[in-house]
Amino acid sequence: MNQKLKANFRKVEPYVPGEQPNLPDMIKLNTNENPYPPSPMVEEVLRQFAPDMLRLYPDPASGMLVDAIAERYGVGNNQVYTGVGSDDVLAIAFLTFFNSGKPILFPDITYSFYDVWAELFQIPYERPLLDENFNLRLEDYTGPNGGVVIANPNAPTGVKQDMDFLRQVIEANPDVVVIIDEAYVDFSGASALPLIKEYDNVVIVQTFSKSRSMAGMRIGYAMAQPELIKAMNDVRYSFNSYPMTRLSVALGVAALQDEDYFQETSAKIIETREKTKRELHRLGFTFEDSMTNFIFATHNRVPAQVIFDQLREKHIFVRHFDAPRIENYLRISIGTNEEMKQFLEAVEEIVGAYQG
């Protein structure tokens, strides 16, 4: 190809998502999906959805979904932004708010899409090191910067920063936007959502992909002060007027209407997570206390790559990150009780047979 032509291409190292195998007997614990199906209300709306409606453009504002989210979380509908999964929402937030020319800040170990967006949008960034327990250090987020992004609980570590820490970061950065990415918050207890009432520079981002079992539907949303939401919408409408489909809006509303099912399945995942923690400790793993639907663990004797490879041979898939500081860790999504039982039996066999 013409080298002068290629010289004008935008060059980005892309985000690498978790493997999506398709085997009939597999146990898939590598992409933090919910092991339970969406609410029966979602199934009913899907069954009754009129295909003829797909010939019409959707509501650009996704009004029904925005209203449902606003009602569920007790905020104004002018404080809600919706997008095609939280990845889309976060990308728009980066593009909207991080234009000062100063570096934005996020940890060295966190969601690996952050640096991809920064590179794509040519936003300078710095990645302060997490401490030895995978916690953020306040002093790293108090100097001059162009914005702050905190995944809370963090991925892939599962560690959650407390509300007092978040307040200190926000108060140290009154002139830039602080994004709190809460993809896993429903497995961790309290959200930082109340902070948007106290501070005008906070954006809370959540998703339907994890706790609402709708990763395949791609629904994400942000909540913030109205002026921030308007700014995000202005950017979004500048290149995509119809981001949410009619079907995604209808199914998203249905999911929000079934609070009992949401609470029930979230509680089941948390219960299974706690059981799995106890068993992993018994088998010689160490990890920080995960507040998500996964556990980020390292074994005291067997290399992570060995466990990963041998589990894969058994069609049990977990995630291994070949990256500095975490190359000997596995991220293990929480499945059903039966799936975790089979996973733990396989791990016990691998650990017991290891002669390294």
Side-chain angles (χ1 to χ4, degrees):
M1 180 177 284
N2 185 318
Q3 293 303 309
K4 289 184 178 179
L5 177 68
K6 288 179 66 176
N8 294 317
F9 291 4
R10 182 161 300 214
K11 299 174 181 66
V12 179
E13 189 69 31
Y15 171 74
V16 180
E19 183 181 6
Q20 293 290 350
N22 186 21
L23 300 169
D25 61 340
M26 70 179 180
I27 297 176
K28 191 169 181 295
L29 309 175
N30 67 326
T31 50
N32 299 342
E33 294 148 327
N34 197 309
Y36 302 106
S39 157
M41 289 187 182
V42 171
E43 183 180 353
E44 184 63 22
V45 169
L46 183 60
R47 187 182 296 114
Q48 295 183 7
F49 188 84
D52 182 61
M53 297 299 290
L54 296 179
R55 67 184 177 82
L56 302 173
Y57 283 111
D59 170 14
S62 306
M64 290 177 59
L65 181 57
V66 165
D67 289 346
I69 293 169
E71 181 178 358
R72 167 64 175 77
Y73 291 100
V75 298
N77 58 12
N78 62 349
Q79 294 182 276
V80 177
Y81 173 97
T82 57
V84 186
S86 60
D87 288 342
D88 176 55
V89 174
L90 286 161
I92 291 293
F94 272 53
L95 194 56
T96 303
F97 301 122
F98 299 152
N99 298 289
S100 71
K102 296 178 182 177
I104 63 171
L105 306 176
F106 48 83
D108 67 319
I109 303 171
T110 191
Y111 186 31
S112 53
F113 227 142
Y114 297 159
D115 59 317
V116 174
W117 288 317
E119 294 281 355
L120 178 63
F121 301 140
Q122 299 181 351
I123 301 167
Y125 63 94
E126 294 176 1
R127 301 170 60 187
L129 299 180
L130 295 175
D131 71 15
E132 64 277 8
N133 298 315
F134 294 147
N135 283 294
L136 282 74
R137 295 179 291 201
L138 180 62
E139 60 268 25
D140 293 332
Y141 296 87
T142 57
N145 64 75
V148 177
V149 187
I150 299 173
N152 200 47
N154 196 12
T157 67
V159 174
K160 185 177 183 181
Q161 306 299 146
D162 63 30
M163 196 75 81
D164 182 59
F165 178 89
L166 297 177
R167 284 180 188 281
Q168 291 181 76
V169 171
I170 294 162
E171 290 176 2
N173 294 281
D175 299 327
V176 299
V177 168
V178 177
I179 297 174
I180 303 175
D181 180 359
E182 292 191 332
Y184 301 96
V185 74
D186 294 320
F187 307 109
S188 73
S191 165
L193 181 60
L195 297 179
I196 72 169
K197 297 179 181 178
E198 301 177 41
Y199 304 99
D200 62 5
N201 64 327
V202 179
V203 177
I204 304 292
V205 178
Q206 297 186 6
T207 178
F208 281 54
S209 295
K210 314 302 181 185
S211 56
R212 296 191 186 275
S213 307
M214 295 180 74
M217 203 66 245
R218 313 308 300 132
I219 303 172
Y221 53 104
M223 294 174 285
Q225 288 289 332
E227 192 169 353
L228 299 182
I229 297 300
K230 181 183 183 304
M232 290 179 68
N233 275 316
D234 287 346
V235 171
R236 187 261 298 280
Y237 291 143
S238 297
F239 70 91
N240 186 358
S241 299
Y242 302 102
M244 305 294 293
T245 68
R246 285 179 172 270
L247 182 59
S248 59
V249 168
L251 299 186
V253 171
L256 286 168
Q257 290 172 340
D258 198 347
E259 183 69 16
D260 289 344
Y261 184 83
F262 162 73
Q263 295 292 346
E264 176 190 344
T265 54
S266 296
K268 284 199 290 189
I269 290 166
I270 292 169
E271 181 182 9
T272 304
R273 179 190 72 196
E274 296 307 305
K275 277 190 215 171
T276 304
K277 285 179 183 177
R278 292 191 291 271
E279 288 300 299
L280 287 175
H281 276 308
R282 179 181 67 81
L283 293 172
F285 285 86
T286 57
F287 44 87
E288 299 303 318
D289 190 22
S290 174
M291 300 298 286
T292 61
N293 66 337
F294 60 82
I295 299 168
F296 193 58
T298 184
H299 195 268
N300 58 20
R301 186 170 58 87
V302 186
Q305 187 69 58
V306 170
I307 300 172
F308 173 83
D309 290 339
Q310 293 191 27
L311 284 173
R312 200 172 190 281
E313 290 174 5
K314 300 174 185 290
H315 293 177
I316 299 173
F317 296 87
V318 297
R319 190 86 190 262
H320 178 236
F321 297 90
D322 187 14
R325 300 183 68 197
I326 59 173
E327 65 275 0
N328 203 33
Y329 281 78
L330 297 172
R331 193 192 68 191
I332 305 151
S333 303
I334 300 301
T336 63
N337 279 329
E338 180 55 33
E339 287 174 331
M340 300 316 291
K341 178 175 180 290
Q342 293 180 53
F343 159 77
L344 290 163
E345 288 172 352
V347 169
E348 187 160 20
E349 180 182 331
I350 292 165
V351 169
Y354 181 70
Q355 299 295 325

